[in-house]
Amino acid sequence: MRAAETAAAAGAAVTLFDAKPSVGRKFLVAGRGGLNLTHAEPRERFATRYTGEEQPDDLWPSLLAEFDADALRQWATDLGVETFVATSGRVYPHALKAAPLLRRWVQRLRAAGVQFALRHRWTGLRPGVRWQLDFHVGGETRTFEADAVILALGGGSWPETGSDGAWVSVLEKLGVAVAPLMPSNCGWEISWPPALLAQAEGQPLKNVTVRAGEMTAVGELLVTQYGLEGGAIYQLGPALRALPEPAIIIDFKPAHTVEQLVKKLGNCPRNFLAEARSRWRLSDAAFAILENLPGRGPFTSAKSLAATVKGCVLKLTRPRPLAEAISSAGGIRWSELDAALMVRRLPGIFAAGEMIDWDAPTGGYLIQGCFATGTRAARSALAWQR
């Protein structure tokens, strides 16, 4: 939609194809959390949030220079939707809803002359004097022509919105290398003992520091029947996927050192964990993990307990399924694209959004990344057409 908007504003004749009966369905899914549009942190820091194999070092600084968080907020303002910066730095519309903004956006696109072809599922691409695009429409195949094509087909998460990854096989048949789509910003599974779940299922771990490999995240976790959810573990996705045996190390009391914790426990001679629960104000979830995980106790000294509280290792089994993930990693490899986001082996074909091999945490970075790549792809397609 952003690519269509940019191209139409420059005077191009644009048709937006969508396999679903309506557009912007994943945008509406984002609205369930209040529609975190972007983030207010400095652009230099913002650009470091994006990761991906073979990703050019100057890619995201240049993309954000074209369309950054300020530009996205102004875009919303121009649609009559004011935004605000939360204490976390995340940017939301005042209404905390996606539907009003989406309606105005569609109205703007129609007013700009964008044609909508809904219930059109893309199935193929063939070169010619103009590009030939095949779509499955109502049980038959229909072919359309275009001078330039922008593919913005999403990753593999939330397939009910249309981001089902079906495009992967189409591009691979054309020789385009695609990194496997993997769940990102998702929960991870752990084999919890039944006694632990009886105490802690649904309980939060607040204000913890979590480490995986060389990566550290600060935030919250939630104990679930299958493992852990929450912003802290979402941020660690790239590091966890790189580990041969994924595991995290939790610091339940990041504001205290081991020595400080030992001192707060005083002259306690035994029952260290029970005493620490009140003196260290351990949460119910933290206490349950320390009490029930194999190899964690009984603790024979205040120092051994404090060391575990400051570095509790949890072995993970696997991420939750791709369909459940907030986003996906993987996609068209950067080696297949030039700086204009054009597919090198398919001149005139451009890509944008999550279907490219980049990853980012939640916090407004995902939507911002889609807007920035959509803007670049559209401007590049216009230049190609000229």
Side-chain angles (χ1 to χ4, degrees):
M1 290 177 69
R2 173 59 187 168
E5 179 178 44
T6 303
V14 178
T15 300
L16 194 159
F17 295 90
D18 197 302
K20 292 296 185 177
S22 61
V23 296
R25 293 192 168 204
K26 203 161 192 180
F27 200 67
L28 292 175
V29 168
R32 296 177 187 173
L35 190 61
N36 181 193
L37 282 171
T38 185
H39 201 285
E41 69 183 0
R43 188 195 297 169
E44 295 74 19
R45 173 65 174 160
F46 208 121
T48 66
R49 302 293 190 173
Y50 298 94
T51 58
E53 289 188 25
E54 306 172 346
Q55 184 174 281
D57 293 337
D58 62 345
L59 174 74
W60 287 100
S62 68
L63 284 169
L64 294 174
E66 287 184 36
F67 196 86
D68 63 6
D70 289 338
L72 183 47
R73 295 189 69 185
Q74 185 59 53
W75 170 85
T77 299
D78 292 342
L79 284 171
V81 177
E82 297 297 328
T83 59
F84 71 96
V85 180
T87 55
S88 62
R90 299 184 178 202
V91 176
Y92 298 90
H94 280 288
L96 298 176
K97 295 179 180 178
L101 193 155
L102 180 60
R103 283 195 297 268
R104 296 183 184 191
W105 195 6
V106 171
Q107 290 169 2
R108 174 192 278 180
L109 293 175
R110 293 190 185 281
V114 174
Q115 301 296 309
F116 288 79
L118 304 176
R119 295 186 175 89
H120 284 60
R121 175 170 287 278
W122 180 60
T123 58
L125 184 72
R126 291 170 285 115
V129 177
R130 304 176 76 201
W131 281 103
Q132 310 292 305
L133 294 103
D134 296 327
F135 291 87
H136 183 77
V137 186
E140 61 181 21
T141 297
R142 295 183 60 189
T143 300
F144 297 80
E145 293 185 340
D147 297 311
V149 178
I150 299 170
L151 301 175
L153 301 168
S157 63
W158 292 94
E160 64 270 27
T161 66
S163 298
D164 57 10
W167 55 268
V168 172
S169 61
V170 179
L171 287 185
E172 287 182 333
K173 288 176 182 177
L174 294 169
V176 179
V178 179
L181 297 178
M182 299 176 290
S184 178
N185 289 299
C186 64
W188 282 72
E189 297 182 6
I190 299 175
S191 298
W192 294 126
L196 188 152
L197 283 177
Q199 291 178 248
E201 184 178 359
Q203 296 296 315
L205 291 162
K206 296 185 177 182
N207 302 315
V208 295
T209 297
V210 189
R211 188 169 78 252
E214 301 299 317
M215 197 171 183
T216 300
V218 178
E220 295 187 7
L221 296 171
L222 180 70
V223 177
T224 69
Q225 185 177 30
Y226 51 76
L228 289 171
E229 288 278 353
I233 203 166
Y234 296 166
Q235 296 175 53
L236 298 174
L240 288 171
R241 291 193 299 271
L243 293 173
E245 296 183 356
I248 58 173
I249 303 173
I250 303 178
D251 183 347
F252 294 114
K253 290 293 174 182
H256 297 83
T257 64
V258 169
E259 292 73 20
Q260 289 171 331
L261 291 174
V262 171
K263 185 176 181 180
K264 285 173 71 72
L265 207 52
N267 296 320
C268 175
R270 56 185 180 275
N271 298 327
F272 299 104
L273 183 56
E275 288 295 326
R277 184 175 194 175
S278 58
R279 297 192 193 187
W280 295 349
R281 295 183 179 179
L282 290 174
S283 67
D284 291 343
F287 179 82
I289 290 171
L290 294 166
E291 183 180 45
N292 292 288
L293 276 182
R296 295 296 189 274
F299 295 95
T300 57
S301 69
K303 188 173 183 178
S304 66
L305 174 57
T308 302
V309 165
K310 294 289 293 177
C312 182
V313 179
L314 297 180
K315 294 182 179 180
L316 311 178
T317 55
R318 59 188 175 187
R320 291 296 289 169
L322 177 58
E324 292 182 17
I326 294 174
S327 62
S328 59
I332 299 174
R333 296 187 181 276
W334 287 108
S335 57
E336 296 286 346
L337 302 173
D338 63 15
L341 302 185
M342 184 170 73
V343 182
R344 297 179 190 276
R345 68 184 68 239
L346 303 173
I349 305 298
F350 302 82
E354 262 193 272
M355 69 183 300
I356 305 175
D357 187 14
W358 59 272
D359 193 12
T362 58
Y365 307 104
L366 296 165
I367 290 181
Q368 181 71 56
C370 291
F371 270 80
T373 54
T375 300
R376 168 73 64 85
R379 290 174 177 171
S380 300
L382 289 165
W384 171 263
Q385 188 179 33
R386 286 194 295 268

Coordinates of all heavy atoms in Angstrom, one line a residue, residues 36 74 83 148 162 204 208 212 220 237 274 277 282 288 318 334 349 370:
N36 N 1.4 0.1 17.1 CA 2.7 0.7 17.3 C 3.3 1.0 15.9 O 3.9 0.2 15.3 CB 3.5 -0.2 18.1 CG 4.9 0.3 18.4 OD1 5.8 -0.5 18.9 ND2 5.1 1.6 18.3
Q74 N 4.4 12.2 10.2 CA 3.8 13.2 9.4 C 2.8 12.6 8.4 O 1.7 13.2 8.2 CB 4.9 14.0 8.6 CG 4.3 15.2 7.8 CD 3.6 16.2 8.7 OE1 4.2 16.6 9.7 NE2 2.4 16.6 8.4
T83 N -0.5 11.3 16.4 CA 0.2 10.3 17.2 C 0.8 10.9 18.4 O 0.9 12.1 18.6 CB 1.3 9.7 16.3 OG1 2.3 10.7 15.9 CG2 0.8 9.0 15.0
A148 N 6.5 -2.2 -14.7 CA 7.3 -2.4 -13.5 C 6.4 -3.1 -12.5 O 5.2 -2.8 -12.4 CB 7.9 -1.2 -12.9
G162 N -3.0 -13.2 4.7 CA -2.5 -13.3 3.3 C -1.0 -13.5 3.3 O -0.4 -13.9 2.2
P204 N 3.9 -13.5 35.3 CA 4.9 -12.7 34.6 C 6.3 -12.7 35.3 O 6.3 -12.9 36.5 CB 4.3 -11.3 34.6 CG 3.6 -11.2 35.8 CD 3.0 -12.6 36.0
V208 N 13.3 -8.1 34.2 CA 14.4 -9.1 34.1 C 15.4 -8.7 33.0 O 15.0 -8.0 32.0 CB 13.9 -10.5 34.0 CG1 13.1 -11.0 35.2 CG2 13.1 -10.7 32.7
A212 N 21.2 -14.2 25.5 CA 21.3 -15.4 24.6 C 22.6 -15.1 23.8 O 22.6 -14.2 23.0 CB 20.1 -15.6 23.7
E220 N 10.2 -8.0 30.0 CA 9.3 -8.9 30.7 C 9.2 -10.3 30.0 O 9.4 -10.3 28.7 CB 7.9 -8.4 30.9 CG 7.9 -7.1 31.8 CD 6.5 -6.7 32.1 OE1 5.5 -7.4 31.8 OE2 6.3 -5.6 32.7
G237 N 15.5 -13.3 19.3 CA 15.3 -14.3 18.3 C 16.6 -14.5 17.4 O 17.0 -15.7 17.2
A274 N 13.2 -20.1 50.5 CA 12.0 -19.6 51.2 C 12.3 -18.3 51.8 O 11.4 -17.4 51.7 CB 11.6 -20.6 52.2
R277 N 12.6 -15.6 49.0 CA 11.3 -15.2 48.4 C 10.8 -13.9 48.9 O 10.3 -13.0 48.2 CB 10.3 -16.3 48.5 CG 9.0 -16.1 47.8 CD 8.1 -17.3 47.9 NE 7.0 -17.2 47.0 CZ 6.0 -18.1 46.8 NH1 6.1 -19.3 47.5 NH2 5.1 -18.0 45.9
L282 N 11.1 -12.1 45.4 CA 11.1 -12.9 44.2 C 9.6 -13.0 43.8 O 8.7 -13.2 44.6 CB 11.7 -14.3 44.4 CG 13.2 -14.3 44.6 CD1 13.6 -15.8 45.0 CD2 13.9 -13.9 43.4
A288 N 9.0 -20.2 41.5 CA 8.6 -21.5 40.9 C 9.7 -22.1 40.1 O 10.0 -23.3 40.1 CB 7.3 -21.4 40.1
R318 N 12.5 -25.2 21.0 CA 12.3 -24.7 19.7 C 11.4 -23.5 19.8 O 10.7 -23.3 20.8 CB 11.6 -25.8 18.8 CG 10.2 -26.2 19.4 CD 9.7 -27.4 18.6 NE 8.4 -27.9 19.2 CZ 7.8 -29.0 18.9 NH1 8.2 -29.7 17.9 NH2 6.7 -29.3 19.5
W334 N 19.6 -10.8 0.2 CA 20.1 -9.4 -0.2 C 21.0 -9.5 -1.5 O 21.0 -8.6 -2.2 CB 20.8 -8.8 0.9 CG 19.9 -8.3 2.0 CD1 19.7 -8.8 3.2 CD2 19.0 -7.2 1.9 NE1 18.7 -8.2 3.9 CE2 18.3 -7.1 3.1 CE3 18.7 -6.3 0.9 CZ2 17.3 -6.2 3.4 CZ3 17.7 -5.3 1.2 CH2 17.0 -5.3 2.4
I349 N 11.5 -5.8 -11.7 CA 10.8 -6.4 -10.6 C 11.5 -6.0 -9.3 O 12.7 -6.2 -9.1 CB 10.8 -8.0 -10.7 CG1 10.3 -8.4 -12.1 CG2 10.0 -8.5 -9.6 CD1 8.8 -8.0 -12.4
C370 N 8.7 -1.7 6.8 CA 7.8 -1.9 5.6 C 7.6 -0.6 4.9 O 7.6 -0.6 3.6 CB 6.5 -2.6 6.0 SG 6.7 -4.3 6.6

